[in-house]
Amino acid sequence: MFNILIVEDDKELSQLFQKVLEKNGYQVKCASDGMQALETLDTAYIDLIISDIMMPVMDGITLCRQLKEDVRTSHIPIILLTALTSPDKHLEGLEAGADVYVAKPFSFKLLLAQVFRLIEQCEKLRKKFS
């Protein structure tokens, strides 16, 4: 069972993510901002993070940078979601270390495929290096 952390300040969207991901066999934890996500990562093993960019307290770009700079969390794949679709914002997300940058509105089917592929890649790397 793989663990996914949803970082989203919109409670309804967060619950929808949780419902869809759990229906597809994933364990899900939720955080409402980047700071709460960091606290969750101190106590839970997470395989993948899906984070909004625009949030209070700590935004998704800052969260992504901090996670990718920390050796304890740098291996966790991150999908950034945002309504900000300009090429500059997309580049900023990728430069912060995001593995995937998804513009809202998005297809849950496409998002699930990206989640599956990222986790599959991580599993292959773990097996190769263990």
Side-chain angles (χ1 to χ4, degrees), residues 6-121:
I6 303 299
V7 189
E8 172 63 64
D9 61 327
D10 180 325
K11 191 171 180 87
E12 287 181 18
L13 186 55
S14 182
Q15 289 172 341
L16 180 59
F17 278 129
Q18 185 171 8
K19 182 179 177 182
V20 169
L21 291 166
E22 286 177 347
K23 181 180 173 188
N24 283 276
Y26 298 103
Q27 293 275 11
V28 178
K29 294 201 177 293
C30 297
S32 61
D33 61 61
M35 213 46 141
Q36 194 177 63
L38 292 175
E39 292 169 7
T40 300
L41 287 163
D42 282 339
T43 60
Y45 181 81
I46 299 296
D47 295 292
L48 182 134
I49 297 168
I50 300 173
S51 178
D52 189 12
I53 288 182
M54 296 187 304
M55 297 178 291
V57 186
M58 180 189 289
D59 64 64
I61 296 287
T62 304
L63 171 65
C64 188
R65 276 197 183 100
Q66 284 192 17
L67 294 174
K68 293 301 182 175
E69 289 172 359
D70 187 331
V71 70
R72 296 169 299 160
T73 56
S74 62
H75 66 284
I76 301 172
I78 300 173
I79 298 174
L80 287 179
L81 301 172
T82 187
L84 305 172
T85 59
S86 76
D88 288 342
K89 289 296 179 184
H90 191 139
L91 182 60
E92 182 182 17
L94 294 175
E95 286 176 342
D99 296 276
V100 177
Y101 188 95
V102 177
K104 293 178 184 176
F106 58 88
S107 156
F108 268 106
K109 200 179 251 189
L110 179 59
L111 183 65
L112 284 170
Q114 291 169 321
V115 165
F116 178 80
R117 288 291 167 228
L118 286 170
I119 288 177
E120 182 181 57
Q121 287 173 339

